[in-house]
Amino acid sequence: MDAILSNLAAANNSEPSSRVLLDHVRRIIAALEGFRVYGSVWLWPWITYCFSPLVSRFSPGKIARFDGFRARLDQGDLYTFANVFADYPVVDLARALPEVELIVDLGANVGAFSFLMQTLCRKSGCDPQIVAVEPDAANAAFLREQPFANALEIHEAAVGRSNGTARLVPGQNSVTHHVDFSGSANGLTIPVISLESLCDRPALVKMDIEGSELAVLEVGLPENVQHLVLEWHHAGAPTDIVAGNWIQISSDIHGASTWYWRRQSR
């Protein structure tokens, strides 16, 4: 237990270890929903996630090959695959599929949300195109090697107000890199694609872009965005920026919150 607490605290060095442990337990419980979505093949990923604070410590550089996806054990990959069930409204997303022709995964990382949506599409009989946008080269390369990658259109880029370039600023791990649009930050220059150009058909968009969401939302959502799952990293709430039918889904111990928006019928 001491080893688990110390690793949790190290990964979340601004939070007390007891609070981090409680959050991890909460997310383990939420991840049980994965059995309903993925079936029995979720058992090994779920068990591995339960012990991920220890696994990450003793498995540097190792890759777990599960049934359907892969995860780097020393990165935040297992966290992203398990926490779709803590942070996203899976039932609402499944219900939204008949209304859209496109799914856009912004901040795709190594494909946890894309994998979830591909599974939900297969179970529902819907067939929207899935576009994954990821600015980090290592994450994008790993995503391209995922067993489900042939079902995705992958862009190694960031999303922004307009097409152009920005800087990718490294974070603590693969989950916390962020994009800087000011031009003043140190980081690798990367291409930027506008949300409007990505959403050329009725779309369901997931946006987890580590703070850059404010710059994107300030210019408004394109008309084709029908559903949005948003991770919000700022003060206030996205309801202050974009009007509409917002529901807060979750919040985390670092101050971020997840919201679900649906375009109101006219």
Side-chain angles (χ1 to χ4, degrees):
M1 179 59 73
D2 289 343
I4 292 176
L5 285 170
S6 64
N7 278 275
L8 283 167
N12 302 271
N13 53 25
S14 63
E15 299 292 339
S17 58
S18 58
R19 189 181 179 199
V20 174
L21 179 61
L22 287 173
D23 184 67
H24 183 59
V25 171
R26 178 180 70 84
R27 291 175 181 276
I28 286 171
I29 294 169
L32 289 169
E33 177 70 7
F35 289 100
R36 187 184 66 83
V37 175
Y38 299 128
S40 60
V41 299
W42 183 242
L43 179 60
W44 184 232
W46 181 77
I47 290 174
T48 308
Y49 175 66
C50 291
F51 295 98
S52 58
L54 287 177
V55 170
S56 62
R57 179 179 183 181
F58 296 110
S59 304
K62 291 187 178 180
I63 296 172
R65 289 168 169 80
F66 302 113
D67 189 346
F69 71 93
R70 300 171 184 172
R72 299 167 298 187
L73 295 179
D74 58 351
Q75 295 291 327
D77 298 359
L78 274 173
Y79 179 92
T80 65
F81 277 95
N83 283 284
V84 295
F85 302 106
D87 293 332
Y88 299 137
V90 176
V91 173
D92 291 319
L93 295 175
R95 289 173 179 163
L97 290 177
E99 302 177 18
V100 301
E101 300 172 24
L102 180 69
I103 296 168
V104 183
D105 185 357
L106 303 175
N109 196 264
V110 296
F113 184 81
S114 292
F115 182 61
L116 170 68
M117 297 311 296
Q118 183 191 28
T119 304
L120 295 177
C121 288
R122 185 172 64 249
K123 294 179 73 170
S124 68
C126 297
D127 191 29
Q129 182 181 10
I130 302 176
V131 176
V133 182
E134 170 54 43
D136 178 72
N139 289 344
F142 196 80
L143 176 58
R144 293 188 189 101
E145 296 300 317
Q146 289 282 19
F148 56 90
N150 60 354
L152 312 179
E153 178 184 311
I154 300 172
H155 296 271
E156 187 177 321
V159 65
R161 295 184 178 188
S162 58
N163 296 334
T165 60
R167 300 279 180 84
L168 181 66
V169 181
Q172 187 177 30
N173 53 42
S174 69
V175 182
T176 57
H177 304 327
H178 72 275
V179 176
D180 179 84
F181 296 101
S182 70
S184 61
N186 293 324
L188 184 69
T189 300
I190 55 172
V192 175
I193 308 172
S194 72
L195 181 58
E196 186 168 12
S197 65
L198 285 165
C199 297
D200 59 353
R201 285 157 284 167
L204 184 159
V205 176
K206 166 257 186 176
M207 190 183 301
D208 182 1
I209 51 178
E210 298 303 316
S212 301
E213 66 274 5
L214 181 60
V216 177
L217 293 182
E218 282 178 336
V219 299
L221 286 172
E223 191 68 23
N224 276 327
V225 178
Q226 302 299 307
H227 299 265
L228 172 68
V229 182
L230 172 73
E231 185 162 323
W232 179 254
H233 298 83
H234 299 274
T239 56
D240 302 328
I241 308 296
V242 176
N245 184 19
W246 287 98
I247 300 172
Q248 184 173 351
I249 303 300
S250 65
S251 59
D252 68 23
I253 59 176
H254 309 293
S257 55
T258 305
W259 298 74
Y260 174 57
W261 176 90
R262 180 176 181 176
R263 187 172 294 279
Q264 293 177 327
S265 300
R266 293 175 175 169

